[in-house]
Amino acid sequence: MPSTTAVPHPIRSAAELETMRESGRVVALALEAVRAAAVPGVKLRDLDDIARTALHEAGAESSFFGYAPAWAPTAYKGVLCLSPNEVVVHGPPTGRRVSDGDVLSIDFGAAVDGWHGDAAITVHIGSSTEEDRRLVSATEEALAAGIAAAVPGATLLDIATAVDAVAKRHGFAHLPDHGGHGIGRAMHEAPFVPNQPFAAARDQRLEAGHTLAIEPMLLAGSSEYRTARDGWSVVTRDRRRAAHAEHTVAVTDDGPLILTAP
Ligand code: MF3
Ligand code: CO
């Protein structure tokens, strides 16, 4: 028997994908509301309130609030992850105010009838430098390339190779040890979806009905990182900036379907 490192990746029915499209739409609308409010001087906590209101109006549940993975010291207290500048991902909403020229990753997850959607954008607060615009647009381009590779018969190595090629072309590093994930009944499911090619990812083949979150995290400086004292925020060691972009995607016979599109 051929050896394989593939892990089970559930196939979703058309009806299940319909429900995931609903949660994805809630995620997209909330992200756009938060983007519009992300102006100089706003408190991260105020942005969290905007997303919480959007969630309640939609009758959806937060995928993040109360989340308590083994690696975290405390259950998560927000509905958004808000990660400014040197914070790469998983920044909790605090009283920190964003300033003109900041970049801010906004990450949001919502569930409808127990089916999750997860997406992230990185926005410029007020004005932006050429270098920051390059970082953010390269991250968006890397996400688009990863999504385009999510077709039946391809493998997770194809996604990682596509994401990585964009990062390399623009000269940006990846956040090591992090990547995307299967998603459905839980926000985080198998398989791990790498942004950097490694051989075993070739064993994880994609089929129609697979759902996954693809999320490049690109760094302007070196790839060294640490976890902040809050136990959540992932911060670059050199304090240089990062960008993050994410969509929840379904693999279909008609090509990749972005479930977290507006
Ligand atoms: N959206 C993040 C991810 O894709 C998860 C946030 S961690 C949480 O991995 F605690 F905020 F939920
Ligand atoms: Co995710």
Side-chain angles (χ1 to χ4, degrees):
M1 238 169 77
S3 77
T4 176
T5 56
V7 299
H9 192 177
I11 305 288
R12 313 303 182 182
S13 69
E16 289 167 344
L17 291 182
E18 268 307 306
T19 309
M20 287 185 72
R21 182 72 187 98
E22 276 181 49
S23 61
R25 206 172 268 123
V26 172
V27 170
L29 292 176
L31 282 176
E32 285 316 307
V34 175
R35 180 203 294 274
V39 296
V42 79
K43 271 189 200 146
L44 298 181
R45 205 174 276 131
D46 296 336
L47 298 179
D48 199 62
D49 289 341
I50 289 168
R52 188 178 287 105
T53 300
L55 203 54
H56 286 162
E57 281 173 358
E61 309 274 340
S62 173
S63 304
F64 294 6
F65 191 87
Y67 189 62
W71 47 263
T74 53
Y76 196 71
K77 289 297 175 343
V79 302
L80 289 175
C81 292
L82 294 164
S83 307
N85 299 343
E86 76 288 351
V87 186
V88 190
V89 287
H90 300 166
T94 62
R96 176 169 173 173
R97 289 180 192 274
V98 291
S99 309
D100 184 65
D102 284 354
V103 296
L104 179 68
S105 155
I106 306 168
D107 188 348
F108 185 59
V112 170
D113 295 339
W115 290 94
H116 292 257
D118 183 12
I121 56 178
T122 296
V123 303
H124 300 281
I125 307 295
S127 62
S128 56
T129 63
E130 169 74 31
E131 167 70 358
D132 283 345
R133 286 195 297 274
R134 256 181 14 87
L135 175 64
V136 172
S137 65
T139 306
E140 291 166 350
E141 195 189 320
L143 173 59
I147 292 171
V151 295
T155 71
L156 292 187
L157 181 63
D158 296 312
I159 293 180
T161 302
V163 167
D164 186 53
V166 175
K168 282 215 169 75
R169 180 149 47 80
H170 291 278
F172 293 123
H174 294 278
L175 177 69
D177 317 317
H178 290 70
H181 46 93
I183 179 168
R185 297 300 287 173
M187 169 173 62
H188 287 154
E189 295 184 351
F192 174 71
V193 177
N195 292 323
Q196 295 175 270
F198 69 99
R202 186 180 287 127
D203 294 333
Q204 199 73 38
R205 196 165 290 281
L206 294 169
E207 292 174 50
H210 279 158
T211 48
L212 61 162
I214 302 174
E215 48 182 317
M217 290 155 267
L218 300 192
L219 313 178
S222 95
S223 61
E224 283 179 69
Y225 70 93
R226 64 184 177 85
T227 304
R229 269 192 298 274
D230 62 21
W232 283 94
S233 303
V234 176
V235 181
T236 59
R237 286 241 180 228
D238 60 10
R239 313 284 293 174
R240 292 194 62 194
R241 293 181 169 193
H244 174 211
E246 176 177 19
H247 270 306
T248 296
V249 176
V251 177
T252 85
D253 288 323
D254 302 322
L257 176 63
I258 301 178
L259 296 169
T260 44

